[in-house]
């Protein structure tokens, strides 16, 4: 190709010197170029040339696993062997295709799911590489919601790990068929054991391959179905693993290997009375393959297994596809913000055809939006296309109101027609209304478990920070932002410390705001201990006018639980009849303003009842002065009544394995927790307790450490309870700066 004639190159040439232009262009496109290529000997496929086959040849798959099992490395090898990258990227070097965020490359972890499209032997594969860290579990959830199959990657030296269990449960919830890939067979501690899959995942592993060698001597695999031995060259650092030898297994091979293969083949034939594919699609078994992505071994057979055993979109039974027929029906499962193009919405198309410059109807928002452009995703590079058919994953520009979980259809009338068909089928007729039956179920967002405050550097940046948080919430539904009504602080609610740290870093890099993260301020309350009656007189002269008011009142404590924690105010019957509505309102305002700020620490009051005994005012006294007199009298009474700090008690529910129960109980005892109940749920224990919120800072991290990541918890406000004197004194000293 003559690169001088390229429109993209011509644009660069207009603004730069030719030599600089060529140099910068080559540098920017050294890893991969989706549009055209030059100065290279090996051709790299253009994304424009991706096969657009029949729906039966499409595979929508996700790569899921525990942290560091090798998901991104496996994805990188798939792209290389399918011809879409010209060099093998490495997570440690920070040059992989799917980990393109600065935070991902610095930390060597996947933070957000990335979609890539490529072809393999006449099949079109739409692949999503998902994160393995528990803080980003929503990314896995929303990817699995729209995928037809998944590849579960295991570290062969570790087997089933904590996050493996989590993502496997998510796949089961969405009924996604899986293929298992035992990665890192080259590690010295690698153990080709499928028992952990059977015991921990409660799955039925179908062994399709046997490794040849282990650890450093791992050289290939034996395909049990074809009886072929696939061998990759050992030890050659420059070998990219593209070429491998495939030959029938014969009697000259190692006797131990032959015996192992024969035993495994016998078990395979006995176990699989029907085809492997039917077993996989019915989720009665999971094919198990092995290899080493880092050492470039076993990835091509994995690609073959994906196309052979995982379902095509039309093999997944969605009623909606039948109801919509050839009309458009798609689900928005992810939103990204692009500074130039605005919001980019990822859509999974279930039926119909998507075309740019067309108006679409969002059922959830009841709005019509115009889609300006249609793109094929390839990590952070995208190629514009004229149309996209059912079964594919597309990236759209122009949908400004659409958020994660919205159903997109061609028009209101097509949704109404689908609803009628659903009712005629008898499966969709619901009394709530027609549309309820023709909306795709959205993405379930987990409750946040980590909370902290965020503040802009100056008040001038407050509006910019609110805009940044709004954009980030639209991208990431697991991030919640709320304003504390007591302190006025903006509170970030996320899935863990790493999640919040990444959000903080993105605000700094992408939006240029140097924010400050602080610990969550606990919203304490105050109450009184004794019943007290007092009188106070206010005598003020303002200008030439004298204001005199005398108030007598009684304050008494109430039971916080029975009163729902509220405060009350009442007037004696005779007094209520005497006072005018304006004065009555002034008295009540004075009492309520006193309830907002307690005498001990300035926190709002709970469980206080006030009875106004008498109000005497001289002519000319204003209502504002009456309110001021009542407030002063209230403060005097509450100081005499003795004060008590109330702290928020949280209702905590922890789901944990029995082996970690004692460690969790011991930790809760140190946090002043009170155990209410311990229940059994399947193989786990559910621990229900009340714990002060002040003791729950960073609990998500501690719990993961105690249980090796095998526990989950939920937290919600239960009640306000009195602090014991010792804890109250420590709090008073800390807040006054003495500790």
């Amino acid at each position: 190709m003559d690169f001088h004639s390229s429109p993209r190159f011509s644009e660069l040439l207009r603004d730069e010197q030719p030599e600089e232009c060529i140099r910068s262009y080559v540098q920017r496109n050294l890893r991969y170029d989706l549009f055209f290529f030059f100065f290279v000997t090996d051709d790299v496929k253009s994304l424009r040339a991706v096969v657009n086959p029949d729906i039966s040849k499409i595979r929508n798959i996700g790569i899921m696993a525990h942290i560091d099992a090798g998901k991104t490395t496996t994805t990188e090898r798939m792209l290389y062997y399918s011809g879409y990258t010209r060099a093998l990227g490495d997570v440690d070097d920070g040059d992989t295709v799917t980990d393109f965020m600065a935070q991902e490359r610095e930390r060597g972890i996947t933070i957000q799911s990335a979609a890539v499209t490529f072809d393999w032997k006449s099949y079109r594969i739409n692949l999503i590489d998902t994160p393995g860290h528990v803080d980003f579990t929503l990314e896995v959830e929303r990817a699995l919601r729209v995928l037809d199959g998944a590849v579960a990657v295991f570290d062969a030296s570790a087997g089933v790990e904590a996050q493996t269990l989590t993502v496997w449960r998510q796949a089961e919830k969405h009924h996604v068929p899986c293929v298992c890939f035992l990665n890192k067979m080259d590690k010295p501690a690698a153990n080709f054991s499928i028992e952990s899959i059977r015991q921990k995942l409660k799955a039925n592993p179908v062994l399709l391959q046997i490794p040849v060698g282990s650890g450093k001597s791992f050289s290939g695999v034996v395909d049990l179905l074809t009886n072929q031995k696939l061998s990759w060259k050992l030890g050659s650092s420059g070998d990219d693993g593209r070429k491998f030898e495939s030959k029938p297994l014969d009697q000259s091979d190692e006797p131990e290997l032959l015996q192992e293969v024969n035993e495994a083949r016998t078990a395979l034939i006995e176990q699989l009375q029907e085809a492997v594919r039917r077993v996989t699609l019915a989720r009665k078994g999971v094919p198990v393959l092995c290899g080493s992505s880092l050492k470039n071994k076993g990835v091509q057979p994995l690609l073959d297994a994906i196309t052979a055993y995982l379902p095509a979109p039309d093999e997944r039974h969605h009623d909606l596809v039948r109801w919509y027929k050839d009309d458009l029906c798609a689900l928005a499962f992810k939103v990204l913000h692009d500074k130039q193009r605005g919001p980019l919405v990822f859509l999974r198309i279930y039926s119909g055809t998507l075309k740019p410059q067309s108006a679409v109807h969002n059922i959830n928002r009841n709005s019509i939006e115009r889609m300006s452009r249609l793109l094929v995703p390839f990590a952070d590079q995208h190629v514009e296309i004229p149309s996209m058919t059912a079964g594919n994953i597309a990236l759209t520009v122009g949908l400004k109101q659409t958020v994660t979980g919205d159903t997109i259809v061609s028009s209101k009338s097509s949704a109404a027609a689908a609803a009628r068909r659903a009712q005629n089928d008898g499966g969709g007729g619901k009394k709530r209304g027609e549309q309820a039956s023709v909306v795709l179920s959205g993405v379930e967002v987990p409750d946040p478990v980590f909370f902290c405050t965020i503040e802009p550097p100056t008040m001038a940046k407050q509006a910019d920070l609110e805009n940044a948080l709004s954009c980030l919430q639209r991208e990431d539904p697991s991030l919640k932002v709320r304003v504390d009504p007591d302190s006025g602080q903006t509170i970030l609610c996320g899935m863990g410390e790493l999640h919040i740290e990444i959000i903080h870093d993105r605000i700094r890099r992408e939006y240029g705001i140097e924010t400050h993260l602080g610990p969550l301020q606990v919203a304490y309350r105050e109450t009184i201990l004794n019943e007290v009656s007092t009188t106070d007189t206010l005598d003020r002269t303002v200008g030439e006018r004298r204001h005199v008011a005398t108030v007598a009142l009684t304050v008494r404590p109430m039971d916080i639980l029975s009163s729902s924690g509220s405060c009350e105010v009442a007037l004696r019957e005779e007094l209520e009849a005497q006072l005018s509505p304006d004065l009555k309102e002034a008295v009540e305002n004075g009492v309520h303003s006193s309830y907002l700020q307690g005498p001990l620490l300035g926190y709002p009051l709970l469980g206080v009842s006030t009875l106004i005994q008498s109000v005497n005012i001289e002519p000319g006294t204003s209502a504002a002065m009456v309110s001021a007199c009542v407030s002063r009298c209230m403060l005097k009474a509450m100081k005499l009544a003795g004060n008590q700090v109330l702290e928020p008690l949280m209702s905590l529910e922890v789901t944990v394995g029995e082996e970690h129960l004692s460690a969790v109980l011991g930790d809760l005892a140190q946090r002043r927790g009170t155990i209410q109940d311990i229940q059994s749920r399947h193989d786990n224990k559910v621990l229900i307790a009340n714990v002060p919120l002040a003791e729950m800072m960073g609990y998500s991290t501690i719990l993961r450490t105690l249980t090796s990541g095998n526990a989950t918890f939920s937290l919600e406000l239960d009640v306000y309870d009195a602090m014991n004197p010792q804890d109250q004194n420590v709090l008073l000293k800390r807040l006054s700066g003495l500790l």
Side-chain angles (χ1 to χ4, degrees):
M1 178 183 285
D2 180 11
F3 62 83
H4 289 288
S5 62
S6 162
R8 187 168 162 198
F9 191 85
S10 303
E11 284 175 27
L12 291 166
L13 207 57
R14 264 189 244 126
D15 304 322
E16 302 179 36
Q17 295 297 318
E19 295 81 9
E20 286 299 312
C21 178
I22 293 170
R23 190 181 299 115
S24 67
Y25 190 88
V26 172
Q27 286 171 349
R28 272 181 292 211
N29 294 275
L30 190 60
R31 283 283 294 110
Y32 53 87
D33 178 15
L34 303 178
F35 299 87
F36 56 88
F37 41 86
F38 53 89
F39 298 152
V40 292
T41 52
D42 293 326
D43 284 357
V44 176
K45 289 181 183 176
S46 163
L47 197 57
R48 291 185 186 281
V50 173
V51 290
N52 194 8
D54 181 72
I55 193 168
S56 64
K57 296 271 187 173
I58 296 172
R59 297 290 181 270
N60 295 311
I61 62 153
I63 305 277
M64 61 181 197
H66 187 79
I67 314 152
D68 286 336
K71 298 178 296 298
T72 303
T73 306
T74 303
T75 304
E76 193 68 22
R77 269 47 180 179
M78 288 179 175
L79 292 174
Y80 180 72
Y81 296 137
S82 59
Y84 285 83
T85 57
R86 72 166 55 96
L88 284 166
D90 196 303
V91 172
D92 296 330
D93 295 339
D95 60 356
T96 57
V97 173
T98 51
D99 285 355
F100 53 84
M101 285 174 65
Q103 293 87 346
E104 292 178 316
R105 295 192 164 181
E106 284 171 7
R107 291 170 172 80
I109 61 170
T110 302
I111 291 168
Q112 64 175 20
S113 54
V116 286
T117 299
F118 59 95
D119 65 316
W120 177 258
K121 297 182 179 176
S122 80
Y123 285 85
R124 179 183 184 131
I125 297 178
N126 299 312
L127 182 144
I128 297 181
D129 179 25
T130 65
H133 201 284
V134 67
D135 283 23
F136 310 110
T137 189
L138 176 75
E139 290 289 326
V140 185
E141 175 77 21
R142 62 181 174 184
L144 287 172
R145 170 66 187 82
V146 296
L147 295 173
D148 302 318
V151 176
V153 180
F154 299 80
D155 181 338
S157 63
V160 175
E161 297 173 90
Q163 191 62 10
T164 319
L165 280 164
T166 305
V167 297
W168 193 268
R169 283 191 212 109
Q170 288 173 305
E172 283 186 331
K173 183 169 80 175
H174 294 292
H175 307 291
V176 174
C178 297
V179 166
C180 297
F181 181 61
L182 299 183
N183 191 26
K184 303 193 178 185
M185 287 299 299
D186 60 303
K187 286 177 76 171
N191 177 23
F192 187 70
S193 171
I194 57 172
E195 277 309 304
S196 64
I197 296 174
R198 185 177 282 114
Q199 290 173 5
K200 293 185 179 179
L201 300 182
K202 304 290 188 286
N204 177 28
V206 179
L207 203 57
L208 299 184
Q209 292 178 345
I210 288 284
V212 178
S214 63
K216 287 187 177 180
S217 64
F218 174 66
S219 61
V221 297
V222 175
D223 188 321
L224 298 174
L225 288 175
T226 61
N227 213 25
Q228 294 278 314
K229 180 181 177 184
L230 313 178
S231 303
W232 283 261
K233 289 181 182 177
L234 278 171
S236 174
S237 59
D239 184 21
D240 62 6
R242 193 186 288 275
K243 295 178 182 176
F244 58 92
E245 184 185 7
S246 175
K247 63 175 185 179
L249 201 65
D250 56 41
Q251 299 305 315
S252 63
D253 286 298
E254 303 93 329
E256 291 102 355
L257 179 64
L258 282 170
Q259 185 181 349
E260 192 177 358
V261 168
N262 287 332
E263 288 173 3
R265 283 202 82 194
T266 305
L268 178 67
I269 292 160
E270 285 174 4
Q271 187 181 6
L272 294 184
Q273 311 253 317
E274 49 190 334
V276 177
R277 180 176 173 78
R278 286 203 300 275
V279 170
T280 308
L281 298 193
R283 303 195 78 255
K284 291 178 180 174
V286 284
V288 178
L289 298 91
C290 61
S292 170
S293 297
L294 189 65
K295 299 298 180 185
N296 313 317
K297 294 168 186 165
V299 178
Q300 294 97 323
L302 175 61
L303 280 166
D304 290 335
I306 287 168
T307 58
Y309 306 130
L310 291 181
D314 58 351
E315 290 174 296
R316 301 268 286 155
H317 301 294
H318 300 286
D319 285 336
L320 282 147
V321 176
R322 193 173 73 252
W323 297 334
Y324 276 97
K325 294 193 174 178
D326 293 330
D327 288 331
L328 173 68
C329 177
L331 178 71
F333 68 94
K334 186 177 171 73
V335 179
L336 288 178
H337 272 273
D338 187 281
K339 287 183 179 177
Q340 278 75 40
R341 292 178 285 198
L344 306 177
V345 180
F346 283 84
L347 295 177
R348 162 68 198 270
I349 307 167
Y350 286 97
S351 67
T353 303
L354 204 57
K355 292 181 180 178
Q357 300 300 332
S358 60
V360 292
H361 176 60
N362 184 328
I363 298 182
N364 302 70
R365 312 276 147 221
N366 193 23
S367 63
I368 294 173
E369 295 192 82
R370 181 163 289 278
M371 185 176 52
S372 57
R373 298 169 68 193
L374 188 62
L375 310 167
V376 174
F378 193 88
D380 58 340
Q381 303 283 318
H382 313 118
V383 171
E384 198 163 348
I385 51 165
S387 67
M388 188 76 93
T389 54
N392 281 297
I393 289 171
L395 190 58
T396 61
V397 182
L399 303 181
K400 293 188 168 50
Q401 295 178 37
T402 304
V403 297
T404 299
D406 284 358
T407 301
I408 304 295
V409 297
S410 53
S411 63
K412 262 188 177 180
S413 58
S414 70
R420 285 194 296 273
R421 291 186 199 109
Q423 284 185 330
N424 292 336
D425 272 4
K430 295 186 180 178
K431 292 179 182 177
R432 289 183 300 166
E434 283 190 336
Q435 286 192 343
S437 60
V438 292
V439 176
L440 290 158
S441 59
V443 179
E444 198 176 306
V445 180
D447 293 326
V449 296
F450 188 86
F451 310 87
C452 72
T453 59
I454 184 166
E455 294 172 0
T458 61
M459 284 309 294
K461 290 277 187 182
Q462 180 68 34
D464 293 338
L465 176 60
E466 287 173 5
N467 176 57
L469 290 173
S470 174
C471 291
L472 289 168
Q473 277 188 97
R474 193 172 171 199
E475 279 190 33
D476 182 0
S478 65
L479 173 70
K480 302 279 195 302
V481 180
R482 60 183 174 87
V483 176
D484 189 282
D486 298 320
S487 64
Q489 290 178 305
T490 303
I491 296 174
L492 289 186
C493 316
M495 301 306 298
E497 286 173 85
L498 178 62
H499 185 202
I500 297 295
E501 185 188 324
I502 296 296
I503 293 294
H504 183 226
D505 194 40
R506 288 189 64 187
I507 291 171
R508 180 175 63 82
R509 291 189 194 211
E510 295 174 26
Y511 297 92
I513 307 170
E514 291 287 346
T515 53
H516 171 69
L517 290 181
L520 180 67
Q521 298 298 310
V522 177
Y524 292 102
R525 295 287 185 268
E526 295 181 27
T527 192
I528 57 173
L529 298 172
N530 307 302
E531 183 174 326
V532 168
S533 297
T534 188
T535 306
D536 195 44
T537 301
L538 180 77
D539 188 346
R540 290 267 173 86
T541 303
V542 180
E544 296 179 356
R545 195 171 166 188
R546 188 181 178 206
H547 304 267
V548 180
T550 302
V551 175
L553 54 80
T554 301
V555 293
R556 63 180 181 83
M558 294 191 302
D559 183 10
I560 297 169
L561 294 174
S562 62
S563 65
S564 304
S566 58
C567 292
E568 296 176 356
V569 59
L571 283 77
R572 279 181 46 234
E573 286 183 21
E574 312 90 80
L575 183 64
E576 194 163 6
Q578 292 170 10
L579 293 178
S580 66
D582 288 349
L583 281 178
K584 187 178 168 185
E585 186 182 352
V587 170
E588 289 177 348
N589 286 343
V591 175
H592 287 305
S593 65
S594 301
Y595 286 156
L596 296 176
Q597 198 167 15
L600 196 61
L601 292 169
Y603 288 107
L605 285 148
L606 284 183
V608 178
S609 176
T610 302
L611 178 66
I612 308 296
Q613 304 285 359
S614 66
V615 178
N616 297 313
I617 59 172
E618 292 191 6
T621 302
S622 69
M625 286 300 174
V626 174
S627 289
C629 181
V630 172
S631 294
R632 204 166 77 166
C633 190
M634 284 286 295
L635 183 61
K636 182 179 173 182
M638 287 189 293
K639 282 183 176 177
L640 292 170
N643 304 109
Q644 170 74 56
V645 176
L646 304 173
E647 64 178 347
L649 271 189
M650 310 303 286
S651 177
L652 173 72
E653 185 178 295
V654 183
T655 305
V656 62
E658 194 163 357
E659 66 274 20
H660 299 297
L661 182 63
S662 58
V664 173
L665 287 170
D667 179 66
L668 286 177
Q670 294 177 351
R671 295 174 184 272
R672 300 191 281 127
T674 307
I675 308 301
Q676 304 293 332
D677 193 13
I678 299 175
Q679 303 168 353
S680 293
R681 186 182 296 164
H682 305 304
D683 298 334
N684 294 321
K685 295 291 182 184
V686 179
L687 191 154
I688 298 166
N690 281 350
V691 192
L693 176 61
E695 302 290 341
M696 295 302 290
M697 301 301 171
Y699 184 64
S700 56
T701 307
I702 299 295
L703 184 65
R704 286 172 201 163
T705 306
L706 288 172
T707 63
S708 304
N710 283 308
T712 58
F713 77 98
S714 64
L715 203 62
E716 61 181 26
L717 179 63
D718 184 25
V719 70
Y720 275 90
D721 196 30
M723 294 183 78
N724 65 50
Q726 184 183 352
D727 292 328
Q728 182 169 315
N729 288 335
V730 170
L731 175 67
L732 290 170
K733 287 178 181 177
R734 192 172 76 243
L735 292 178
S736 59
L738 298 174
L739 276 181

